[in-house]
């Protein structure tokens, strides 16, 4: 229920930000901790020697050193005649460079279309989708396929991975609001990422986690039902892992799972404890231009009834079979 209230608060409070004809005021020399941003994802683009940061809201920030940022810029251009409608909400946007192009993986929501009602909760049309650009700062535009995932399932937080078979995949969450036990799934992408091939396959479920917990309406402690923010990585020893986020009661927390087979098919073994301190989550990994591995995540804090989310960086050691958080990183 806490998670549902957060979703409702977010959609009602920030809906005006998602209109594509809305132009934000661009500012320069903004410190990272002065930016309010959920699900921060940073692309270190060597071609332009620039860091590009995006996330929920669909806006883009730029920096040469990660100390000071310029933005935000509107970079996503969706089709108003598509299932998204003219003013889709944009969650958890990511930038990925692949085969000479830049791809924008994000969750789009059309609040005017209701696909289901479960336990009294209306579920809006929401799905992971991919846009493309020739440049890291866009504009990002639609490709051939208008639908990547089933219209009757709410999906979110799509990310990108090329598996050992050489094929590209989208890894995404099937949202708990409908199935009441969220999953993380994979689906094959076309070679140019312009659509999907076949059907999704479950990699693991929220209830598989030993660390995420909640209390039911009777006060009993049960496994949490939320899967959020997958991000794939390989350690320097070749171990395939996945960052993902859920809850430990009222705390938003980052966990990790590792694949025994070294492929997306797993099986996936969940770490017993979260990897970040409480109320840091939805993480991703990138290397600085100097080669340092960093984890980008947002802090999650209730301030006078409003949820405040601020990007943070952690230094990470991936020299062994498992990630180790070294500590907070200040550019």
């Amino acid at each position: 229920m806490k998670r549902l209230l957060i979703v409702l608060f977010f959609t009602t409070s920030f809906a005006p930000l998602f209109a594509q004809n809305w132009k934000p005021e661009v500012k320069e020399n903004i410190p990272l901790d002065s930016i309010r941003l959920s699900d921060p994802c940073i692309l270190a683009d060597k071609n332009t020697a620039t860091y590009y940061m995006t996330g929920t809201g669909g806006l883009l920030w730029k920096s040469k050193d990660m100390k000071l940022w310029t933005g935000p810029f509107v970079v996503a251009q969706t089709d108003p005649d598509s299932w998204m409608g003219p003013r889709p909400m944009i969650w958890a946007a990511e930038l990925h460079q692949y085969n000479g192009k830049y791809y924008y993986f994000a969750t789009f929501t059309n609040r005017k279309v209701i696909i289901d009602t479960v336990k009294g909760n209306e579920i809006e049309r929401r799905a992971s989708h991919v846009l493309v650009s020739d440049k890291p700062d866009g504009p990002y535009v639609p490709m051939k396929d208008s639908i990547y995932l089933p219209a009757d399932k709410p999906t979110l937080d799509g990310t990108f991975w090329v598996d050992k078979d050489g094929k590209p995949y989208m890894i995404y969450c099937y949202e708990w609001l409908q199935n009441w036990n969220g999953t993380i799934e994979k689906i094959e992408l076309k070679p140019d990422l312009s659509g999907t091939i076949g059907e999704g396959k479950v990699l693991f479920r929220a209830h598989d986690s030993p660390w995420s917990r909640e209390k039911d309406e009777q006060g009993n402690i049960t496994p949490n039902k939320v899967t959020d923010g997958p991000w794939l990585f390989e350690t320097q020893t070749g171990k395939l892992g996945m960052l993902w986020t859920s809850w430990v009661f009222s705390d938003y927390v980052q966990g990790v799972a590792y694949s025994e087979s070294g492929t997306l098919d797993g099986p996936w073994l969940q770490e017993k404890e979260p990897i970040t301190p409480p109320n840091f989550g939805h993480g991703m990994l990138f290397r600085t231009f100097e080669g340092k591995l960093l984890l980008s995540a947002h802090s999650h804090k209730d301030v006078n009834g409003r949820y405040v989310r601020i990007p943070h960086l952690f230094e990470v050691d991936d020299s062994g079979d498992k990630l180790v958080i070294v500590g907070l990183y200040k550019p």
Side-chain angles (χ1 to χ4, degrees):
M1 182 56 67
K2 182 180 180 68
R3 167 73 172 176
L4 178 59
L5 291 174
I6 291 171
V7 171
L8 291 175
F9 169 82
F10 185 84
T11 57
T12 56
S13 299
F14 296 94
L17 300 183
F18 297 89
Q20 292 192 71
N21 57 1
W22 175 75
K23 300 297 183 183
E25 179 185 357
V26 174
K27 299 181 179 181
E28 297 182 353
N29 300 321
I30 305 300
L32 184 65
D33 59 7
S34 296
I35 298 173
R36 301 296 180 261
L37 180 67
S38 301
D39 316 324
C41 181
I42 296 176
L43 171 69
D45 183 59
K46 294 182 179 179
N47 293 332
T48 57
T50 302
Y51 297 97
Y52 298 89
M53 180 173 66
T54 186
T56 285
L59 302 176
L60 184 75
W61 295 80
K62 306 176 186 180
S63 176
K64 290 294 185 179
D65 58 8
M66 293 189 292
K67 295 179 181 179
L68 299 173
W69 295 80
T70 299
F73 302 92
V74 176
V75 296
Q77 296 183 2
T78 57
D79 180 0
D81 296 323
S82 72
W83 67 266
M84 300 178 191
R87 297 181 60 185
M89 300 180 68
I90 303 176
W91 291 0
E94 298 182 358
L95 304 181
H96 295 272
Q97 186 180 15
Y98 180 66
N99 284 350
K101 297 279 190 178
Y102 294 89
Y103 293 91
Y104 186 95
F105 283 64
T107 304
F108 298 88
T109 300
N110 186 339
R111 301 192 65 206
K112 293 187 176 181
V113 177
I114 304 300
I115 62 171
D116 202 355
T117 301
V118 178
K119 299 189 178 184
N121 300 318
E122 290 186 338
I123 300 174
E124 299 161 346
R125 179 77 186 273
R126 176 163 45 252
S128 297
H129 200 89
V130 185
L131 307 178
V132 66
S133 177
D134 292 324
K135 302 184 298 180
D137 54 355
Y140 288 88
V141 299
M143 289 186 282
K144 298 176 184 177
D145 286 16
S146 60
I147 297 174
Y148 279 71
L149 295 166
D152 59 350
K153 294 174 62 174
T155 56
L156 71 162
D157 294 354
T159 189
F160 179 62
W161 188 251
V162 178
D163 209 8
K164 292 290 178 62
D165 59 7
K167 298 177 180 179
Y169 291 86
M170 179 193 289
I171 296 83
Y172 61 93
C173 300
Y174 173 25
E175 194 171 24
W176 66 273
L177 286 172
Q178 187 176 53
N179 61 22
W180 227 244
N181 182 12
T183 64
I184 290 182
E185 307 183 5
K186 73 165 188 176
I187 192 167
E188 185 179 346
L189 291 166
K190 295 179 179 179
D192 63 354
L193 314 192
S194 64
T196 54
I197 299 172
E199 299 180 351
K201 176 185 177 182
V202 174
L203 304 183
F204 60 84
R205 294 173 169 80
H207 288 183
D208 295 339
S209 166
W211 54 265
S212 58
R213 292 289 180 268
E214 63 181 349
K215 289 185 178 180
D216 63 18
E217 295 177 355
Q218 291 72 42
N220 301 311
I221 296 176
T222 63
N224 199 284
K225 50 187 171 287
V226 174
T227 50
D228 194 63
W231 180 271
L232 282 296
F233 64 90
E234 274 190 350
T235 67
Q236 294 184 39
T237 63
K239 190 76 171 180
L240 178 63
M242 184 192 305
L243 297 168
W244 69 287
T245 301
S246 190
W247 295 78
V248 179
F249 303 112
S250 62
D251 293 333
Y252 187 68
V253 182
Q254 180 75 72
V256 187
Y258 292 95
S259 169
E260 279 202 303
S261 68
T263 71
L264 289 175
D265 288 330
W268 289 89
L269 299 182
Q270 305 292 332
E271 290 291 275
K272 294 181 180 180
E273 300 293 338
I275 194 171
T276 56
N279 288 315
F280 289 89
H282 202 112
M284 57 80 61
L285 297 166
F286 70 100
R287 289 197 182 273
T288 67
F289 297 131
E290 296 74 34
K292 189 180 295 292
L293 183 65
L294 300 182
L295 183 149
S296 171
H298 72 253
S299 59
H300 189 99
K301 187 177 183 180
D302 185 341
V303 178
N304 298 323
R306 296 182 63 86
Y307 282 95
V308 177
R309 299 173 175 94
I310 300 172
H312 295 272
L313 300 174
F314 292 86
E315 186 175 349
V316 182
D317 180 3
D318 69 339
S319 60
D321 283 342
K322 294 185 178 182
L323 289 183
V324 177
I325 298 291
V326 177
L328 280 169
Y329 176 80
K330 295 293 184 181

